[in-house]
Amino acid sequence: MSMSSLGNKSRWPVWLCWLAMVLDGFDLVVLGTVIPTLIKSQELGFDAVGATFAATISLVGVGLGALFIAPLSDRLGRRNLLVACVTWFSIFTIAVVFAPNVAWFSTFRLLAGLGLGACLPAALAYMNDYAPAGTAGKSTTRTMTGYHVGAVATAFLALMVIPSWRTMFVVGGLAGLVLVPFLWFKLPETLPPVIHIHATAKSPAGISPAAASPAGSPVRAETAPAAAPAPAAEERASFRDLGRKPYPLIAAGIAVASFMGLLLVYGLNTWLPQLMASAGYSLNAGLALLLVLNVGAVVGLLIAGVLADRHGTKRIVLLWFGLSAVFLAALSIQIQNEVVLYAAVFVTGVFVFSSQVLVYAWVSQLFPVRLRGTALGFAAGVGRLGAILGPAVTGALVAAGIAYPWGFYVFAAAAVLAVLALAFVPQTVAATSRTGASVGHS
């Protein structure tokens, strides 16, 4: 069942996964928009150290969610996980409003991150299950435009409501709660429930019917054939599968690139307003540049997906990370002309953020369907370690008073390391399972 065969119904999964990414985009920049106000007012006891801690612990939660909750989508289904995680995230985002101090503020951000961390891998795995074969780049990047549309909308909202920082979390939490019933009632499942398959097969399951189907051919649970017996080791997807040939080298390269990619994404979105303030620009100018950065990201995603499907994901992702390094280094030069400054930040956004999304698209192509959620969770989870380090390192530079220009030098170096890591990852993989069936994706 391809997207084209679903008629009008096909719009729901596309838009709902896109809206789930809008929530992730909100979370991406919300701290960046409120940190300058919290530090300036010292409300709840915030200072540079407290803000760095809050930003770091938020990303710890997101990383844990990606690593340990997202893989459950391969077992329990993408839809169920999305519903549960969006609900959890929304509740604890609203709870931030009632935080009495930095410790509780950070605790609620940690808990919200646990739910949000699984949303991105589950939504991308869903769209790659659902989309026509050969469109992994376009499907991934178009879904991820929601990520940066959410970031743009959040930055724009901040321009209107800051210094009323609590409004930011109220809006984000309520938006998630509004999305939940639509996810529940309108989002079909792409994978048959694993528990149901086990119950009917009465034996260890092999590769699921969904895994045997082409990408873009979701299998309905009630029509799925009984699973054929296979080795117990392949019954369920797990991180151990990523350690079996031919995946270790691929997983290592993807891990390094995701680490560096999310270091850039979160480091820039958390601290760009403060970096620009350190360079002598006004707070409003910093917020406006954050908005422009993410507008560039949306444009970059639309271009990158088309080019990746046409010319190969590896070639484009290497080019994108390389250009990111160049433009990030260029931002270390103070630009007096306002038009040139905004143009430079826009072009930087075009390359920096779509670089990381192309990594996700490549993961969807390199790993078989039964491992897709696990592999994306691994990439996103390890990447979140970079997301933790980015704001932490930049925050330390801010506290030391040397964030400008050294923050941009650190970001440029991260992009170069991503290029080196991905250069050793093959364009395609032809893997063989223990049963001798091909499980590779070209």
Side-chain angles (χ1 to χ4, degrees):
M1 181 172 60
S2 67
M3 289 179 70
S4 59
S5 68
L6 288 173
N8 290 336
K9 290 183 179 179
S10 68
R11 298 173 188 168
W12 281 108
V14 172
W15 283 107
L16 290 174
C17 288
W18 187 84
L19 288 169
M21 291 301 92
V22 169
L23 292 179
D24 216 333
F26 160 83
D27 196 71
L28 172 69
V29 303
V30 67
L31 279 186
T33 65
V34 304
I35 278 176
T37 296
L38 289 170
I39 292 177
K40 184 177 180 179
S41 66
Q42 296 188 334
E43 192 170 352
L44 307 185
F46 268 95
D47 54 16
V49 174
T52 301
F53 175 76
T56 302
I57 203 67
S58 298
L59 295 170
V60 168
V62 175
L64 292 174
L67 276 173
F68 298 108
I69 300 175
L72 295 177
S73 72
D74 286 332
R75 304 182 184 183
L76 306 179
R78 322 289 195 211
R79 169 186 172 274
N80 293 336
L81 195 70
L82 278 172
V83 171
C85 289
V86 170
T87 302
W88 180 273
F89 162 75
S90 302
I91 290 171
F92 285 103
T93 294
I94 292 175
V96 170
V97 174
F98 304 100
N101 51 44
V102 174
W104 278 106
F105 182 102
S106 302
T107 299
F108 291 142
R109 288 288 298 165
L110 170 69
L111 292 171
L114 289 174
L116 188 67
C119 288
L120 184 148
L124 292 185
Y126 187 105
M127 286 311 301
N128 279 280
D129 292 346
Y130 195 74
T135 63
K138 189 186 300 181
S139 298
T140 302
T141 54
R142 285 187 177 178
T143 302
M144 285 296 292
T145 59
Y147 190 60
H148 294 288
V149 167
V152 169
T154 304
F156 186 70
L157 177 66
L159 287 171
M160 295 189 293
V161 305
I162 293 294
S164 179
W165 62 269
R166 287 184 173 86
T167 303
M168 303 295 295
F169 295 99
V170 171
V171 172
L174 290 179
L177 292 177
V178 169
L179 180 61
V180 167
F182 289 94
L183 292 170
W184 179 258
F185 290 109
K186 295 294 186 179
L187 195 67
E189 183 54 79
T190 60
L191 298 176
V194 174
I195 294 174
H196 173 72
I197 293 175
H198 290 177
T200 57
K202 303 291 186 182
S203 65
I207 297 176
S208 72
S213 303
S217 301
V219 179
R220 296 178 67 87
E222 62 267 26
T223 62
E234 299 220 342
E235 179 176 341
R236 289 183 175 183
S238 72
F239 288 127
R240 287 188 303 244
D241 293 317
L242 305 185
R244 295 173 182 150
K245 290 184 178 180
Y247 298 124
L249 179 62
I250 297 170
I254 292 296
V256 172
S258 292
F259 183 96
M260 298 303 167
L262 284 179
L263 183 152
L264 296 176
V265 170
Y266 278 82
L268 279 169
N269 276 295
T270 301
W271 288 107
L272 183 66
Q274 191 66 37
L275 285 176
M276 290 307 184
S278 300
Y281 302 104
S282 68
L283 175 58
N284 278 345
L287 290 172
L289 288 169
L290 184 63
L291 189 153
V292 169
L293 186 77
N294 283 280
V295 170
V298 174
V299 174
L301 287 168
L302 294 174
I303 297 171
V306 173
L307 292 178
D309 287 336
R310 185 175 300 170
H311 301 291
T313 307
K314 179 174 183 176
R315 184 179 302 174
I316 301 304
V317 73
L318 290 175
L319 176 63
W320 248 237
F321 268 119
L323 290 173
S324 296
V326 172
F327 285 106
L328 285 165
L331 286 182
S332 66
I333 303 169
Q334 193 161 10
I335 301 171
Q336 301 298 331
N337 186 289
E338 189 171 300
V339 174
V340 175
L341 173 64
Y342 278 82
V345 171
F346 173 84
V347 174
T348 302
V350 166
F351 293 108
V352 169
F353 298 148
S354 47
S355 296
Q356 174 58 25
V357 178
L358 286 171
V359 173
Y360 293 141
W362 201 0
V363 169
S364 296
Q365 296 166 347
L366 289 169
F367 292 88
V369 175
R370 75 176 191 90
L371 278 176
R372 187 170 286 156
T374 299
L376 283 166
F378 171 77
V382 174
R384 300 293 182 173
L385 298 177
I388 293 167
L389 184 64
V393 169
T394 313
L397 295 175
V398 169
I402 56 173
Y404 189 91
W406 284 99
F408 290 113
Y409 295 150
V410 170
F411 293 145
V416 171
L417 290 173
V419 171
L420 296 176
L422 292 177
F424 295 97
V425 177
Q427 172 69 35
T428 58
V429 177
T432 303
S433 70
R434 292 187 179 186
T435 60
S438 173
V439 296
H441 280 216
S442 59

